[in-house]
Amino acid sequence: MESVLVVGIASVVLGALIAVLFFGRYFRKRTSEVQSMAKADPIRDTKSIHPDPKKNHPKTHASDKTQNKRHHPLDLNTLKGHGDAVTGLCFSSDARSLATACADGVIRVFKLDDASSKSFKFLRINLPAGGHPTAVAFADDASSIVVSCHTMSGSSLYMYGEEKQKDQQGKLPLPGIKWDHHHIHDQRAVLTISGATATYGTADGSAVIATCSEGTDIILWHGKTGRNLGHVDTNQLKNHMAAVSPNGRFLAAAAFTADVKVWEIVYQKDGSVKEVSRVMQLKGHKSAVTWLCFSPNSEKIITASKDGSIRVWNINVRYHLDEDPKTLKVFPIPLCDSGGNPLHYDRLSLCPEGKILAATHGSTLQWLCAETGNVLDTAEKAHEGEITCISWAPKAITVGERKAMVLATSGDDKKVKLWEAPKSQSL
């Protein structure tokens, strides 16, 4: 009996000894882990205070770039909602509406009650399926819109107008197609649409619309009826663009060569168009003219060329007496590539006051003094891609509690931006 008791006591003592050894080793290990964790904490804190510059630099850089773009002093607002590249834009004559053509097949007409608004109401017009809109212009008033559409079979032209009669629910239906033309330039795409209200001479005040194809032909249309008013050919391999003067008197085209051809739209006594005849040619550039625009009074033309220059021309001449248009001014284009070689402008637009010239190259937007050619301001990377169209509002627009001249730009980044005009040096 005593031997059994001794064996039991020995077993308990041995078990306790083993337990002490085991738990002692366990607690030493945990203490070591806690000490290791305590030593590691300051290292993690140091990394959080001093992050790896290489790892975080791209995020910070991208954020800074976005912030810089957003806070350009002339950047007023961005019109959102486009599902693809914006291919064209145009202001209405009262400057209260801005129409945009988008590669998603939709025409949007934004209401610009205040250019500084956080959001804008817009009217959505869905184009026929399969059509790719390339340009847009207002006809007659803000309720009539002409848009060019390109498909594999060629180009079409549509005029959308508001319905006057309300539906059964007492609402005005969406604008419908008032007239359309198909295969207007065979299978060639329309590059630009230019519209103006014809007020010169005996013109009846109707809108005239010029469509310029990527070939060499240009067609003039009656904005309200869609009637073909005339057809001209530049015979210069390929067109770049064409524009109608603000008073509806002249039609001018920039094409592959260095010369600019100008036609006069001749009106009859009843106000209708009699003919479109070529009256002058602007000679002086040494390379292709990429873009042109008329002065507000229709007496001057400003041209930009691949020769790196801008020219201002006086076209208010007696051409019927063989008086040639005169070059008034020549400015160097103030843009160069990394090698110091001069660049050319892709697009031009002259403000309604005639004092500020907006110009683009790629994604760069510049404002120039129209009198001196000096740069007033520059917005590099104005869009996250190519700038596809620019246009000044024909009148000052409300911006908060003030009025300002506003420029609209569109890009293949699905955005339309509004910019305030810089102060002109001549003011």
Side-chain angles (χ1 to χ4, degrees):
M1 186 69 181
E2 291 179 359
S3 61
V4 173
L5 183 59
V6 171
V7 171
I9 293 173
S11 299
V12 172
V13 172
L14 181 61
L17 181 61
I18 293 173
V20 169
L21 293 174
F22 175 78
F23 283 109
R25 183 178 178 184
Y26 172 78
F27 283 118
R28 284 195 302 272
K29 183 178 180 181
R30 290 295 297 168
T31 301
S32 176
E33 290 177 354
V34 171
Q35 290 176 347
S36 299
M37 291 173 65
K39 291 179 180 179
D41 280 344
I43 298 175
R44 287 203 297 269
D45 290 345
T46 303
K47 287 185 177 179
S48 64
I49 297 173
H50 304 288
D52 184 352
K54 293 183 179 179
K55 184 176 181 180
N56 292 293
H57 179 69
K59 277 190 176 181
T60 305
H61 183 60
S63 177
D64 288 345
K65 284 177 66 179
T66 303
Q67 190 173 11
N68 288 338
K69 291 177 187 176
R70 189 178 302 144
H71 290 95
H72 188 281
L74 301 180
D75 190 347
L76 289 176
N77 221 326
T78 299
L79 306 185
K80 301 177 182 178
H82 299 91
D84 208 330
V86 182
T87 56
L89 56 80
C90 181
F91 281 97
S92 60
S93 57
D94 60 5
R96 298 185 64 183
S97 298
L98 176 65
T100 64
C102 184
D104 60 7
V106 178
I107 301 299
R108 295 169 175 84
V109 185
F110 292 86
K111 299 301 180 183
L112 302 181
D113 296 325
D114 186 343
S116 63
S117 297
K118 293 183 178 180
S119 61
F120 298 86
K121 294 181 180 179
F122 66 89
L123 177 67
R124 179 188 177 102
I125 303 175
N126 295 317
L127 296 175
H132 177 80
T134 58
V136 64
F138 279 95
D140 287 331
D141 53 39
S143 63
S144 303
I145 299 172
V146 177
V147 55
S148 60
C149 211
H150 189 67
T151 63
M152 294 296 292
S153 60
S155 290
S156 298
L157 199 63
Y158 301 93
M159 196 278 265
Y160 288 85
E162 288 185 358
E163 301 292 342
K164 302 300 181 182
Q165 295 182 350
K166 297 182 179 180
D167 58 19
Q168 296 179 351
Q169 298 178 350
K171 297 181 179 180
L172 287 173
L174 292 175
I177 298 175
K178 299 303 180 182
W179 56 260
D180 57 355
H181 293 282
H182 304 282
H183 308 291
I184 57 173
H185 293 282
D186 296 329
Q187 291 188 332
R188 295 181 292 274
V190 173
L191 297 177
T192 60
I193 296 180
S194 175
T197 301
T199 58
Y200 177 77
T202 58
D204 59 5
S206 299
V208 289
I209 306 290
T211 58
C212 176
S213 82
E214 61 185 353
T216 60
D217 56 329
I218 302 169
I219 302 176
L220 200 67
W221 310 86
H222 190 276
K224 187 175 183 179
T225 64
R227 188 172 71 254
N228 188 325
L229 301 178
H231 174 281
V232 299
D233 198 307
T234 61
N235 295 311
Q236 293 173 298
L237 295 180
K238 64 177 182 178
N239 297 330
H240 290 159
M241 56 80 64
V244 179
S245 64
N247 63 2
R249 181 185 182 186
F250 293 114
L251 170 66
F256 184 76
T257 68
D259 298 339
V260 172
K261 294 181 179 180
V262 181
W263 295 263
E264 182 179 14
I265 304 170
V266 182
Y267 298 91
Q268 300 185 100
K269 291 183 179 180
D270 62 359
S272 61
V273 174
K274 178 182 179 181
E275 61 181 357
V276 183
S277 57
R278 203 178 91 181
V279 292
M280 66 185 85
Q281 195 161 334
L282 310 183
K283 296 184 177 182
H285 283 295
K286 298 178 181 179
S287 188
V289 174
T290 55
W291 208 267
L292 62 83
C293 60
F294 284 90
S295 63
N297 62 6
S298 302
E299 294 181 357
K300 299 176 184 176
I301 291 180
I302 302 177
T303 57
S305 170
K306 288 186 177 181
D307 63 12
S309 71
I310 299 171
R311 284 178 177 259
V312 181
W313 308 79
N314 176 27
I315 60 171
N316 186 26
V317 297
R318 296 173 295 178
Y319 55 83
H320 54 281
L321 298 178
D322 295 328
E323 186 176 344
D324 294 328
K326 299 176 178 62
T327 300
L328 299 177
K329 298 175 183 178
V330 181
F331 305 132
I333 293 178
L335 282 177
C336 295
D337 60 17
S338 57
N341 301 310
L343 298 174
H344 65 271
Y345 283 138
D346 301 322
R347 288 166 178 79
L348 301 175
S349 185
L350 186 63
C351 78
E353 297 173 344
K355 296 178 180 179
I356 300 175
L357 180 68
T360 70
H361 175 82
S363 62
T364 299
L365 171 63
Q366 285 192 319
W367 293 265
L368 309 178
C369 175
E371 293 295 325
T372 64
N374 294 334
V375 177
L376 300 176
D377 210 329
T378 300
E380 295 182 357
K381 302 295 181 183
H383 283 263
E384 298 170 11
E386 292 281 330
I387 297 174
T388 56
C389 193
I390 61 174
S391 178
W392 285 97
K395 298 178 180 179
I397 294 179
T398 299
V399 181
E401 297 181 354
R402 56 192 173 85
K403 292 276 190 177
M405 296 307 302
V406 173
L407 175 76
T409 64
S410 62
D412 54 18
D413 57 357
K414 308 179 184 179
K415 296 179 181 178
V416 171
K417 288 192 172 186
L418 302 179
W419 307 82
E420 185 171 357
K423 291 183 178 180
S424 173
Q425 294 175 342
S426 59
L427 292 178

